[in-house]
């Protein structure tokens, strides 16, 4: 299993195990991680699963697709490391990934 750490706005870290092939969003929902709303269920049709990828992981995660970039326009407080967690597929290289949830979602 791949471990992912979610840091909320208060600085609390939750490290959970994720199944390969699932998404960072699906993993958050399965583990009741606060701050991930995921209104569209992972269809890249909203910005309510917005996260900040830790700078150390930015290159490993990779850049957003053009469609994801369009949806990020609806997210609050977008940063250079902003991603929609529904678009980050869990793979072995992401073991140890750290993401932070924003103060508010789209």
């Amino acid at each position: 299993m791949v471990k992912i750490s979610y840091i909320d706005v208060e600085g609390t870290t939750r490290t959970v195990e994720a199944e390969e092939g699932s998404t960072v969003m699906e993993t958050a929902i399965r583990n009741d991680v606060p701050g991930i709303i995921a209104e569209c269920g992972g269809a890249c049709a909203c910005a309510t699963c917005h996260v900040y990828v830790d700078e150390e992981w930015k290159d490993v995660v990779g850049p957003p697709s053009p469609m994801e970039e369009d949806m990020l326009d609806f997210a609050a407080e977008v940063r250079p490391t902003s991603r929609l967690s529904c678009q980050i597929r869990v793979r072995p290289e992401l073991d140890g990934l750290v993401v932070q949830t924003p103060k508010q979602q789209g």
Side-chain angles (χ1 to χ4, degrees), residues 8 11 13 24 32 46 61 68 72 83-84 103:
D8 66 24
T13 301
V24 172
D32 297 319
C46 71
V61 170
E68 182 181 351
L72 282 167
R83 290 293 308 269
L84 297 181
K103 289 180 184 177

Side-chain angles (χ1 to χ4, degrees), residues 5-14 33-34 54 98-102:
S5 295
Y6 299 83
I7 304 172
D8 66 24
V9 296
E10 295 170 2
T12 303
T13 301
R14 295 172 193 254
V33 172
D54 188 271
V98 178
V99 298
Q100 182 178 4
T101 55

Side-chain angles (χ1 to χ4, degrees), residues 51-62:
V51 294
Y52 305 118
V53 173
D54 188 271
E55 190 68 40
E56 176 182 327
W57 288 94
K58 184 178 175 183
D59 291 337
V60 179
V61 170

Side-chain angles (χ1 to χ4, degrees):
M1 287 281 204
V2 175
K3 292 191 180 192
I4 299 174
S5 295
Y6 299 83
I7 304 172
D8 66 24
V9 296
E10 295 170 2
T12 303
T13 301
R14 295 172 193 254
T15 301
V16 300
E17 291 186 343
E19 293 179 29
E20 284 183 48
S22 66
T23 66
V24 172
M25 179 217 72
E26 291 167 336
T27 301
I29 297 300
R30 268 191 232 113
N31 289 281
D32 297 319
V33 172
I36 305 286
I37 300 167
E39 287 180 352
C40 75
C44 197
C46 71
T48 60
C49 69
H50 175 212
V51 294
Y52 305 118
V53 173
D54 188 271
E55 190 68 40
E56 176 182 327
W57 288 94
K58 184 178 175 183
D59 291 337
V60 179
V61 170
S65 69
M67 183 171 74
E68 182 181 351
E69 284 181 345
D70 288 345
M71 290 308 334
L72 282 167
D73 288 342
F74 298 100
E77 301 179 36
V78 174
R79 299 178 187 169
T81 61
S82 288
R83 290 293 308 269
L84 297 181
S85 59
C86 69
Q87 298 302 297
I88 303 171
R89 188 75 49 196
V90 175
R91 55 191 199 280
E93 300 82 21
L94 296 183
D95 188 32
L97 174 66
V98 178
V99 298
Q100 182 178 4
T101 55
K103 289 180 184 177
Q104 67 180 16
Q105 290 288 358

